[in-house]
């Protein structure tokens, strides 16, 4: 896959008046740009772990000619995010960045010597009038003119904007790869090309699942890697109990053959998504290219799984931060080709650089129901009830919670994971013979229990006819139940699948009056679960893409949207968000 990562462009704008005014501001203005670039390059990373790159305009920008020169430089340097900084008054519409296809933010220095705040207000007004939503950044406290500090509140907004804007830029021009078609009538697997093109700037690619069979039979995969991978699987992947009734259990010899197929499927799906130069050496030049896919989905059920092993192992390993080749960035693959949950996983991933858990939002357990079934009284984060998140497929091994930050369970970017943590994630997982009633072709389902105490965010993108895409999200915590309680509840469903017990944060308002209300207002059967309370970042990202957020439990103080959103109303922010998104329309 092409990995020419987009850069962040920094634009230092300045009062264009010569003979004293501009000259007195040159050092201060360019200094702001340099400090912002240094700050962002230190804090932000691309998906491969390399530091984000910033590009600064060659000169301060005092008028339209210098604005055009900066735009030309940015175009040649693959700039996908624009941040303007200034400590002073500048000529708004003459110095602004006019590229409507990339995200924009402006930091106006809060100082009394020069009116940076006045420029900020003026240029944001111009952006609004011209239909280019821009984010306004203005520090709460007045700074001295010579201050070289980026205040903490300004840092927070710079990061929140830059992370979300980079996510937008990273998606642009990439592909969603459908491996197969619609799975069991699930709406999310009815891939809507118009959404991908208009809102995300992505293209859609398709392969029939018969392509896997062709590559099996013609050996279109790296045979050496296959042998290495199979040996790694035999050494590291622990087999769990076979939950099938005796008459449906298959022989150990047949299971060995299925393991070979599952490993080949993993190699083939990866190669289909991102390509593999090794295939060209084998004489398969076309196949070596892949589909430039940043995200994909595998249909599986039922046209594949009624005859072949299911995709659970393939999806689990690809979504994890490590495999037989060691630690590496996850490949985002959605179970059942649920493209909308796949995109939500992608949003979460690009904001965090961490592996994602794909799950059914399967059951709401009230405190009364838990007590009736187990005799146990829920407490702590779970006191108001739980959601049972469980699915046979794309639950990354990182979701075990066997990684740690400050001694607490966590999910980390792959470059921060230790070999010991990766080994522990695998050790706490069992691969169990798939339920023959669901998966007639067999395969191996991933089975683990997520550690409690992790802050997580569950999100979901939905499509509504006449409205378009809508995002919903909920922040909360993973929960650890007593072993006997977990076992009793888990065995009421399919115990061969991975479980995450999730307790949403409640606000006593709207959809968050109770855990039942969260479940009752969830828009689809799947959810994408990310480590961390990233709801505010998701809201910022959604506003850049002009996708309204229908449901969230993020504090108002953390919400950061383009300044023009306030002109659509300041009392009911949810309604204002809908109006603004409809008014400006899709980004592309």
């Amino acid at each position: 896959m092409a990995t020419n990562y987009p850069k962040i462009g920094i634009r230092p704008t300045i009062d264009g008046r010569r003979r004293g005014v501009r000259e007195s501001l040159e050092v201060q203005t360019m200094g702001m740009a340099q400090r912002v670039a240094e700050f962002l390059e230190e804090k932000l990373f691309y998906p491969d772990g390399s530091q984000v790159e910033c590009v600064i305009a060659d000169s301060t920008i005092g008028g339209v000619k210098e604005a055009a020169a900066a735009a030309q430089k940015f175009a040649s340097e693959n700039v996908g995010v624009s941040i303007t900084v200034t400590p002073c008054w500048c000529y708004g519409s003459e110095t602004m960045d006019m590229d409507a296809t990339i995200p924009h933010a402006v930091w106006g220095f809060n100082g009394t010597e020069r009116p940076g705040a006045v420029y900020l207000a003026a240029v944001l007004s111009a952006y609004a009038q011209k239909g280019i939503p821009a984010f306004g950044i203005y520090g709460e406290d007045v700074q001295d003119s010579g201050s070289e500090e980026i205040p903490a509140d300004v840092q927070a907004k710079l990061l929140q904007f830059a992370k979300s804007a980079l996510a937008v830029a990273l998606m642009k021009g990439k592909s969603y790869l459908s491996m197969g078609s619609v799975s069991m009538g699930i709406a999310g697997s009815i891939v809507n090309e118009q959404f991908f093109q208009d809102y995300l700037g992505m293209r859609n690619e398709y392969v029939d699942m018969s392509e896997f069979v062709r590559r099996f039979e013609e050996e279109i995969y790296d045979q050496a890697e296959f042998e290495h991978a199979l040996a790694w699987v035999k050494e590291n992947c622990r087999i769990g109990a076979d939950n099938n009734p005796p008459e449906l259990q298959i022989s150990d010899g047949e299971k060995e053959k299925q393991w070979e197929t599952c490993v080949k499927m993993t190699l083939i799906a990866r190669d289909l998504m991102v390509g593999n130069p090794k295939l060209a050496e084998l004489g398969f030049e076309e196949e070596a290219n892949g589909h430039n896919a940043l995200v994909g989905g595998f249909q599986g059920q039922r046209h594949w799984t009624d005859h072949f092993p299911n995709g659970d192992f393939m999806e689990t390993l690809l979504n994890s931060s490590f495999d037989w080749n060691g630690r590496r960035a996850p490949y985002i693959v959605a179970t059942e080709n649920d493209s909308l949950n796949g995109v939500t996983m992608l949003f979460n991933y690009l904001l965090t650089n961490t592996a994602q858990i794909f799950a059914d939002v399967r059951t709401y357990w009230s405190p009364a129901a838990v007590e009736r079934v187990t005799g146990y009284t829920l407490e702590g984060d779970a006191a108001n009830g739980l959601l049972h998140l469980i699915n046979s497929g794309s639950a990354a091994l990182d979701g075990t919670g066997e990684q740690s930050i400050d001694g607490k369970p966590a999910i980390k970017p792959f470059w921060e994971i230790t070999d010991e943590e990766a080994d522990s994630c695998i050790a706490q997982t069992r691969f169990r013979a798939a339920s023959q009633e669901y998966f007639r072709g067999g395969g191996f389902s991933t089975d683990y229990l997520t550690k409690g105490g992790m802050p997580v965010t569950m999100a979901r993108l939905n499509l509504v006819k006449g409205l378009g895409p809508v995002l919903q999200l909920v922040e909360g915590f993973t929960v650890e139940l007593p072993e006997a309680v977990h076992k009793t509840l888990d065995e009421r469903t399919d115990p061969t699948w991975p479980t995450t017990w999730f307790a949403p944060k409640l606000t006593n308002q709207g959809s968050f009056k109770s855990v039942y209300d969260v479940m009752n207002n969830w828009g689809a059967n799947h959810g994408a679960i990310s480590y961390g309370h990233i709801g505010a970042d998701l809201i910022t990202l959604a506003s850049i893409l002009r996708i309204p957020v229908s449901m969230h439990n993020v504090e108002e103080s953390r919400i950061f949207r383009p300044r023009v959103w306030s002109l659509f109303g300041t009392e009911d922010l949810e309604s204002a968000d809908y109006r603004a998104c409809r008014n400006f329309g899709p980004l592309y």
Side-chain angles (χ1 to χ4, degrees):
M1 186 172 67
T3 54
N4 180 22
Y5 290 126
K7 300 179 179 68
I8 299 175
I10 312 295
R11 308 175 67 257
T13 57
I14 199 167
D15 192 323
R17 286 173 284 205
R18 298 282 183 174
R19 301 183 185 180
V21 177
R22 178 168 182 160
E23 291 83 353
S24 70
L25 293 163
E26 288 281 2
V27 173
Q28 183 185 7
T29 304
M30 188 58 78
M32 282 183 70
Q34 292 165 345
R35 287 189 290 277
V36 167
E38 291 169 1
F39 170 70
L40 293 176
E41 287 178 341
E42 178 188 354
K43 297 292 185 181
L44 297 176
F45 299 89
Y46 292 120
D48 66 357
S50 61
Q51 288 183 303
V52 163
E53 293 184 54
C54 293
V55 176
I56 302 175
D58 289 334
S59 70
T60 55
I61 300 168
V64 67
K65 182 178 180 181
E66 290 154 331
Q72 187 173 9
K73 179 179 183 178
F74 286 3
S76 68
E77 295 268 6
N78 192 30
V79 165
V81 178
S82 173
I83 299 178
T84 298
V85 300
T86 188
C88 61
W89 167 254
C90 318
Y91 304 153
S93 62
E94 296 180 23
T95 59
M96 66 188 288
D97 189 335
M98 292 288 289
D99 187 346
T101 64
I102 67 173
H104 299 273
V106 184
W107 174 26
F109 184 82
N110 184 1
T112 56
E113 289 80 3
R114 298 285 186 179
V118 179
Y119 170 71
L120 178 63
V123 77
L124 291 175
S125 174
Y127 274 117
Q129 190 165 325
K130 293 177 182 294
I132 307 174
F135 291 76
I137 300 174
Y138 182 58
E140 183 174 346
D141 296 320
V142 172
Q143 294 180 261
D144 296 333
S145 61
S147 174
E148 296 185 355
E149 176 191 7
I150 303 177
D153 60 334
V154 172
Q155 289 184 19
K157 288 185 176 179
L158 283 170
L159 281 176
Q160 191 166 335
F161 166 76
K163 279 194 291 187
S164 301
L166 270 176
V168 172
L170 285 163
M171 287 186 282
K172 187 177 182 180
K174 299 299 191 298
S175 306
Y176 178 90
L177 175 62
S178 294
M179 292 174 277
S181 184
V182 179
S183 174
M184 303 183 294
I186 293 172
S189 63
I190 304 171
V191 179
N192 187 303
E193 286 202 353
Q194 211 65 46
F195 162 70
F196 278 92
Q197 294 170 23
D198 291 354
Y199 283 89
L200 307 182
M202 296 177 68
R203 69 170 68 218
N204 295 86
E205 292 282 291
Y206 303 87
V207 295
D208 191 271
M209 288 183 293
S210 63
E211 176 66 5
F212 283 78
V213 180
R214 183 178 78 91
R215 295 195 183 204
F216 292 160
E217 295 179 353
E218 297 183 28
E219 297 188 342
I220 308 176
Y221 52 86
D222 183 343
Q223 183 69 36
E225 185 180 4
F226 165 67
E227 292 172 2
H228 169 63
L230 187 61
W232 181 89
V233 167
K234 289 181 178 180
E235 181 180 351
N236 293 280
C237 295
R238 304 187 182 192
I239 309 303
D242 191 334
N243 212 50
N244 290 291
E247 67 273 13
L248 292 180
Q249 293 183 11
I250 61 175
S251 68
D252 290 343
E254 183 59 33
K255 286 179 181 177
E256 285 287 326
K257 293 179 183 178
Q258 289 190 4
W259 270 117
E260 293 181 8
T261 301
C262 290
V263 172
K264 289 176 185 177
M265 287 171 66
T266 308
L267 295 172
I268 290 168
R270 180 202 63 194
D271 293 350
L272 282 166
M273 289 181 67
V274 303
N276 186 349
K278 185 68 177 179
L279 300 184
E281 298 175 21
L282 299 173
F284 300 104
E285 290 87 353
E286 181 182 0
E287 290 87 347
N289 288 325
H291 290 266
N292 200 37
L294 194 58
V295 57
F298 182 71
Q299 176 193 334
Q301 298 187 76
R302 285 182 47 207
H303 305 106
W304 181 267
T305 56
D306 278 3
H307 185 65
F308 291 102
N310 64 21
D312 290 5
F313 177 80
M314 170 188 74
E315 294 161 359
T316 291
L317 260 289
L318 290 175
N319 277 290
S320 300
S321 299
F322 43 84
D323 59 19
W324 42 82
N325 293 320
R327 290 168 288 133
R328 45 91 178 136
Y331 303 94
I332 306 300
V333 183
T335 294
E336 296 156 348
N337 198 28
D338 185 347
S339 63
L340 296 180
N341 213 53
V343 166
T344 315
M345 293 170 70
L346 181 62
F347 287 176
N348 293 347
Y349 167 62
L350 293 176
L351 290 170
T352 64
N353 287 319
T354 59
Q356 301 297 307
I357 300 171
F358 180 113
D360 281 351
V361 186
R362 198 171 185 88
T363 309
Y364 161 64
W365 278 100
S366 69
V370 171
E371 189 165 9
R372 177 180 63 82
V373 171
T374 69
Y376 176 72
T377 302
L378 293 174
E379 57 187 16
D381 292 328
N384 295 299
L386 288 166
L387 297 182
H388 193 180
L389 308 180
I390 180 171
N391 186 277
S392 68
S394 301
L397 294 174
D398 307 64
T400 56
E402 290 294 322
Q403 301 158 28
S404 67
I405 297 175
D406 297 329
K408 298 178 180 179
I411 300 176
K412 301 189 291 192
F414 78 90
W415 59 87
E416 294 181 6
I417 299 170
T418 66
D419 290 338
E420 293 75 16
E421 287 173 329
D423 291 343
S424 186
C425 290
I426 301 169
Q428 293 302 316
T429 303
R430 295 293 180 271
F431 293 93
R432 302 180 62 175
S435 169
Q436 291 287 329
E437 294 178 349
Y438 276 114
F439 306 114
R440 298 172 187 172
F444 300 92
S445 292
T446 307
D447 182 23
Y448 64 70
L449 175 62
T450 300
K451 278 190 172 182
M454 289 199 296
V456 294
T457 303
M458 183 171 73
R460 169 72 193 192
L461 190 71
N462 299 288
L463 284 179
V464 181
K465 184 175 181 179
L467 174 63
V470 179
L471 184 69
Q472 54 186 175
L473 61 97
V474 48
E475 295 181 340
F477 295 90
T478 62
V479 171
E480 207 156 314
L481 298 175
E483 184 177 354
V485 176
H486 159 71
K487 190 173 187 293
T488 298
L489 301 181
D490 195 43
E491 289 186 351
R492 291 175 68 99
T493 179
D494 193 321
T496 68
W497 296 352
T499 281
T500 302
W501 294 109
F502 176 57
K505 293 192 306 183
L506 300 180
T507 65
N508 297 318
Q509 293 180 331
S511 300
F512 298 92
K513 291 177 182 176
S514 70
V515 178
Y516 172 81
D517 287 320
V518 173
M519 176 79 175
N520 200 38
N521 284 285
W522 203 248
N525 51 311
H526 292 148
I529 299 89
S530 180
Y531 176 77
H533 287 162
I534 63 166
D537 292 337
L538 282 166
I539 291 171
T540 296
L541 171 60
S543 68
I544 295 173
L545 298 171
R546 314 327 160 39
I547 297 174
V549 179
S550 65
M551 170 181 166
H552 72 81
N553 57 349
V554 177
E555 300 87 347
E556 187 175 326
S557 61
R558 295 168 54 207
I559 295 174
F560 189 35
R561 291 181 170 121
R563 181 69 62 83
V564 69
W565 259 236
S566 67
L567 299 181
F568 290 86
T570 58
E571 290 297 318
D572 185 345
L573 298 185
E574 185 174 292
S575 296
D577 182 32
Y578 273 79
R579 290 191 292 271
C581 290
R582 178 175 288 276
N583 179 74
F584 291 110
L587 181 59
Y588 302 105

